[in-house]
Amino acid sequence: MERDLFWNESAQRLLEKTASTDPTPGGGSIAAVSATFGMALVLMALRISRTHLDEARRPTLDDLIGRCEGALVRLR
């Protein structure tokens, strides 16, 4: 499966392919998908938390959000 096409698969199709006898997607690919969605959830929590902080504390969180966004791109 080509890298870009992998992300265009439906969750149902990805699940079916993972459970099949095909060698791909394998453990590494599924681990990468899991890590990517995990990072997306971290970003969601950080962004929600940011809305509840006073202005003085937001720059620190903004920096962390930026680093997590970069990690999300690399993971994908």
Side-chain angles (χ1 to χ4, degrees):
M1 198 179 311
E2 289 181 39
R3 183 175 155 178
D4 289 336
L5 295 177
F6 185 81
W7 284 103
N8 293 324
E9 292 282 336
S10 70
Q12 179 64 39
R13 181 72 178 130
L14 181 59
L15 181 63
E16 290 167 1
K17 288 182 72 79
T18 303
S20 76
T21 58
D22 292 340
T24 58
S29 298
I30 299 308
V33 169
S34 298
T36 304
F37 276 99
M39 182 55 70
L41 288 171
V42 168
L43 274 165
M44 177 198 298
L46 290 172
R47 289 176 174 142
I48 290 169
S49 296
R50 187 187 184 284
T51 65
H52 299 288
L53 290 178
D54 58 66
E55 202 61 40
R57 297 175 68 189
R58 288 184 181 177
T60 302
L61 204 54
D62 290 341
D63 178 61
L64 184 55
I65 288 169
R67 288 187 285 149
C68 288
E69 288 170 339
L72 187 67
V73 169
R74 287 189 303 279
L75 284 166
R76 184 171 186 263

